[in-house]
Amino acid sequence: MAEAHQAVAFQFTVTPEGIDLQLSHQALTEIYLSGLRSWKKRLIRLKNSVITGVYPASPSSWLFVVIAILATMYTRSDPSMGLIAKIQEHLPVSQSMSAQCQTVVSAVLFSTMLWLSLIFTMRLCLKQLLSYHRWMFEQHGKMSNTTKVWMALVRIFSGRQPLLYSYQGSLPNLPVPAIKDTLKRYLESVRPLMDSTEFERMTKLASEFESSLGHRLQWYLKLKALWAANYVSDWWEEYIYLRGRSPIMVNSNYYGMDFLYVTPTPIQAARAGNTIHAFLLYRRKLNREEIKPSRVPGTVIPLCAAQCERMFNTTRTPGEETDTVQHWQDSDYIAVYHRGRYFRLWVYQAGRLLSPREIEYQIQRILDDPSSPSPGEEKLGALTAGDRVPWAKVRKEYFSTGVNKRSLDCIEKAAFFVTLDDDEQGMMGEDPAASLDRYAKSLLHGKCYDRWFDKSFSVVIYKNGKNGLNAEHSWADAPVVAHLWEYALATDSFQLGYNEEGHCKGEVDSSLPRPQKLNWEIPSECQEQVAQSLAVAQALADDLDFHVFSFRVFGKGKIKKCRMSPDAFIQLALQLAYYRDREMFCLTYEASMTRLFREGRTETVRSCSNESCAFIRALEADVCRRLFRSASEKHQHLYRMAMTGAGIDRHLFCLYVVSKYLGVESPFLKEVLSEPWRLSTSQTPIQQVELFDLVNHPEYISCGGGFGPVADDGYGVSYSIVGENMINFHISCKHSCPDTGAHKFGAQIKKALLDLLHLLCPDQSESKKTEASPPEDKKDQ
């Protein structure tokens, strides 16, 4: 109970002489320094709000405008054309204010209005400039004069040294496509998947929808687009994520892996110390808006940063009809799980962030803690892994008051969640391929009760020093979490580092209070529901088939030498692999960002097109190479259309939501939205290339991340293009489907990649027929 005594600021006893008051100077100092830290954060937030609010100008430019106007007036000329005199007439008259003083005040007011007008004009100009997207459709290396002028204007109006959220007010709104264009693109996308009779029926349904209900729904959607910052994002979060009643584990959450060939330290507590400290450094930069705004690679075009706001101190709270995402402004502790026990670990002491060595010390205290879990505590996390409705009912009945509410609040309000896993994971042992598969499954679902799947993200630290991350999907998409994960990996290895023994660097303050073990009172009825949720989650986890592999025969370097888009090349390889695997084509989902627009999230690239199907059918024919390029160009065009707000699926989804609000049925929309995505794909690009030196340190390669299959009889495929000579794949499907197999599909992908390179660039494929050996990993040996 030492930490409880240290938390008391004063004690008093009643004596015959009166009240004996004893103050604890240490506790009062802690209170003072914590409050000081809180006020500093408020002032920083206020300062950043001012800077962001006047961007692309700067607060100091106001002074420049005021001085310029006053200097002009001193030369007896009136730059306001009489407006300053008008303002002076309407100033409240004060006996103590001279006429000259009134003139100066009027001039300052005019200067301020002029300054604000200039800011508004610059923002409007920048917003119009960022609405131009023709640059994306131009041939690589052949930029038009119009685009060159546009790029120069964007640089001029973008200002200097923007903060993370500086561009938010200048980003354009996501446009609503014409319903005629969306339906035309939809019919084109499903043509290769239907025979003539089915396609004729679907064309008729689309025509009837357009001529009757479609225009009415479109009118409501345009009305929303005028009013809201983004006509898709709030409905997408609500209806696709938060209203889902099935488990979010596997179905929604996704994961990120550690370095593939390197484990910086084998000491679990030390790896936790550096990793946790790196996350908190990122949060500090995020709160101060010191993170540079993300941009389209190779350009000055900014991307929306709205999703970053809920990265930390956030949880998804279950409800019987819909969940909610709750975010708190700050949290000075993290929640830690180890061997069935939950702990609160304070990460600040006297207003300062604990050093990595101090966090390691505290983590080691948790690892050495001999206490046992309370009855029902060990598998409590299974509630977040099972169906949402039972979890919502249990939370309301057993966790809304008393000690359970206090402990649950500690988890939900924590900065993030940490699991200290007793397993060893990573690419190791005699069968490294199988160990990677186990590693992926462990990160995605673990034991189904040792992760808190509702938290915005959970960090997993394994016994052998490997780590990983599991993220909840509703609050943000994978690129936002990947940016955080890249920073944490790079900071851990290249900035913080370890000493010769493998421990974190720095000294330890031995007076740190011990981590606080959370208390629970779980009745038997609640324990029964925990067991039921665990059974549901375990069945889902057992059905999951995973295969992770690194393709090292070639990478984007050789693909680019063939004058091809690497993403288009891989997508066509996936189409070929699926066709060989199932002898059919399927509706294919590829995620594309729409963060060129305010509050943009994702759009679907329907990668299975007429052109890709024609190429695959003609693979053995002489015209195959020409069809391959045609299919690649078509894919790039579809991707660009999705990025620039001219996609298909988000528009149709919103039309469907409007129809539900109006209480009308559309056979066309109902059929479209019920079509299964049997091949769901996503690329995870490295965003902060400058943090990793893949030339001199090729062993520091992250394996990327993955997700579960969207359809019961389909595949989920995530891939990351690393450096010039490596592509990592994460393939998922379900054992219960006899037609799918993750390893079988992985073999088809490898063969398809080799066949496509040989077809497109036979000289390139002959130069390297065998897989390159992985970099030697001395630290893991």
Side-chain angles (χ1 to χ4, degrees), residues 50-191:
V50 172
I51 295 173
T52 301
V54 302
Y55 196 83
S58 63
S60 59
S61 63
W62 171 83
L63 188 60
F64 174 80
V65 173
V66 171
I67 293 173
I69 294 296
L70 290 175
T72 307
M73 291 182 65
Y74 183 75
T75 62
R76 298 190 180 278
S77 60
D78 186 4
S80 70
M81 294 180 290
L83 284 176
I84 293 178
K86 287 285 185 182
I87 294 172
Q88 188 172 348
E89 290 178 8
H90 293 85
L91 278 179
V93 179
S94 174
Q95 299 295 331
S96 60
M97 186 182 292
S98 65
Q100 187 177 5
C101 186
Q102 290 181 27
T103 303
V104 170
V105 171
S106 302
V108 170
L109 289 174
F110 170 77
S111 302
T112 303
M113 289 188 292
L114 177 63
W115 180 66
L116 293 174
S117 300
L118 289 172
I119 291 172
F120 177 79
T121 303
M122 291 179 69
R123 279 197 172 187
L124 191 62
C125 290
L126 184 57
K127 192 169 188 175
Q128 291 300 314
L129 287 169
L130 294 178
S131 299
Y132 171 83
H133 297 125
R134 279 180 54 191
W135 61 274
M136 196 176 293
F137 295 88
E138 293 178 352
Q139 191 174 350
H140 183 69
K142 295 183 179 180
M143 187 183 295
S144 66
N145 291 330
T146 303
T147 300
K148 290 178 181 177
V149 173
W150 165 79
M151 194 75 76
L153 289 173
V154 170
R155 286 193 176 95
I156 291 171
F157 283 95
S158 290
R160 296 189 305 168
Q161 298 179 339
L163 298 177
L164 177 61
Y165 302 119
S166 291
Y167 289 108
Q168 292 303 104
S170 302
L171 290 172
N173 290 4
L174 183 68
V176 181
I179 194 167
K180 182 179 179 180
D181 295 340
T182 298
L183 295 178
K184 180 183 177 182
R185 286 192 289 267
Y186 167 76
L187 291 172
E188 183 183 353
S189 72
V190 297
R191 182 64 188 94

Side-chain angles (χ1 to χ4, degrees), residues 144-384:
S144 66
N145 291 330
T146 303
T147 300
K148 290 178 181 177
V149 173
W150 165 79
M151 194 75 76
L153 289 173
V154 170
R155 286 193 176 95
I156 291 171
F157 283 95
S158 290
R160 296 189 305 168
Q161 298 179 339
L163 298 177
L164 177 61
Y165 302 119
S166 291
Y167 289 108
Q168 292 303 104
S170 302
L171 290 172
N173 290 4
L174 183 68
V176 181
I179 194 167
K180 182 179 179 180
D181 295 340
T182 298
L183 295 178
K184 180 183 177 182
R185 286 192 289 267
Y186 167 76
L187 291 172
E188 183 183 353
S189 72
V190 297
R191 182 64 188 94
L193 308 176
M194 299 179 176
D195 58 32
S196 299
T197 304
E198 288 177 318
F199 185 70
E200 185 177 346
R201 182 184 64 84
M202 184 55 73
T203 303
K204 185 178 179 182
L205 279 176
S207 179
E208 290 174 355
F209 171 74
E210 181 185 358
S211 60
S212 57
L213 182 60
H215 286 292
R216 182 184 171 197
L217 301 180
Q218 180 82 345
W219 186 87
Y220 281 100
L221 208 55
K222 286 184 176 180
L223 190 64
K224 185 192 176 186
L226 289 173
W227 176 254
N230 191 296
Y231 79 93
V232 175
S233 294
D234 57 341
W235 284 351
W236 186 254
E237 180 178 307
E238 175 74 14
Y239 294 104
I240 298 301
Y241 294 115
L242 298 179
R243 291 210 175 212
R245 302 294 81 197
S246 59
I248 61 175
M249 184 198 79
V250 174
N251 293 323
S252 179
N253 285 30
Y254 54 93
Y255 67 87
M257 280 186 169
D258 192 7
F259 293 122
L260 188 59
Y261 301 115
V262 169
T263 304
T265 177
I267 302 173
Q268 185 178 20
R271 191 73 196 280
N274 267 8
T275 302
I276 292 168
H277 187 80
F279 276 119
L280 294 169
L281 289 178
Y282 188 94
R283 185 178 71 162
R284 184 162 66 186
K285 289 169 72 73
L286 186 68
N287 290 338
R288 295 176 178 177
E289 300 185 33
E290 293 174 351
I291 298 171
K292 294 179 180 179
S294 296
R295 302 179 188 273
V296 176
T299 73
V300 295
I301 311 306
L303 300 176
C304 180
Q307 295 179 51
C308 299
E309 295 173 353
R310 298 183 293 180
M311 188 175 291
F312 295 91
N313 330 317
T314 298
T315 195
R316 174 171 173 168
T317 304
E320 294 190 30
E321 292 186 2
T322 182
D323 294 354
T324 55
V325 176
Q326 288 188 286
H327 171 71
W328 291 269
Q329 281 293 94
D330 193 19
S331 178
D332 51 7
Y333 65 90
I334 59 173
V336 181
Y337 177 92
H338 177 243
R339 291 184 181 174
R341 298 135 340 138
Y342 292 89
F343 295 85
R344 171 160 52 183
L345 171 57
W346 302 97
V347 291
Y348 285 88
Q349 170 79 351
R352 67 168 181 85
L353 176 63
L354 296 186
S355 69
R357 185 70 182 88
E358 289 173 327
I359 296 175
E360 177 189 351
Y361 175 72
Q362 295 291 72
I363 290 292
Q364 192 61 52
R365 280 177 155 181
I366 294 175
L367 292 171
D368 296 338
D369 191 310
S371 62
S372 301
S374 305
E377 179 184 9
E378 180 181 7
K379 300 179 180 179
L380 188 64
L383 290 170
T384 69

Side-chain angles (χ1 to χ4, degrees), residues 553 558 754 764-771:
V553 178
K558 285 196 173 183
L754 291 169
Q764 293 283 343
S765 62
E766 290 298 325
S767 64
K768 191 175 183 182
K769 290 185 176 181
T770 58
E771 284 201 24

Side-chain angles (χ1 to χ4, degrees), residues 524-584:
S524 57
E525 297 84 357
C526 182
Q527 293 182 38
E528 290 176 6
Q529 184 54 61
V530 171
Q532 292 176 22
S533 294
L534 180 58
V536 171
Q538 194 64 59
L540 187 61
D542 292 342
D543 193 25
L544 187 67
D545 184 18
F546 239 100
H547 181 40
V548 179
F549 68 92
S550 292
F551 182 81
R552 299 184 58 86
V553 178
F554 62 88
K556 69 177 181 181
K558 285 196 173 183
I559 298 173
K560 285 184 175 181
K561 287 180 180 178
C562 299
R563 297 181 180 178
M564 285 284 293
S565 157
D567 184 69
F569 186 94
I570 295 171
Q571 283 292 328
L572 287 169
L574 293 176
Q575 290 293 312
L576 177 58
Y578 188 88
Y579 184 78
R580 288 171 170 174
D581 182 55
R582 300 290 297 275
E583 296 183 352
M584 60 183 288

Side-chain angles (χ1 to χ4, degrees), residues 255 257 260 433 436-437 440 546-555 559 566-567 569-571 573-574 577 681-683 702-707 716-722 726-732 742 745-753:
Y255 67 87
M257 280 186 169
L260 188 59
L436 273 182
D437 299 346
F546 239 100
H547 181 40
V548 179
F549 68 92
S550 292
F551 182 81
R552 299 184 58 86
V553 178
F554 62 88
I559 298 173
D567 184 69
F569 186 94
I570 295 171
Q571 283 292 328
L574 293 176
T681 70
S682 179
Q683 182 190 167
S702 171
C703 200
F707 52 88
V717 181
S718 173
Y719 54 95
S720 56
I721 304 171
V722 184
M726 185 176 182
I727 309 171
N728 293 323
F729 287 91
H730 299 247
I731 306 166
S732 64
F745 193 53
Q748 291 286 14
I749 291 174
K750 293 176 185 178
K751 186 176 186 302
L753 288 167

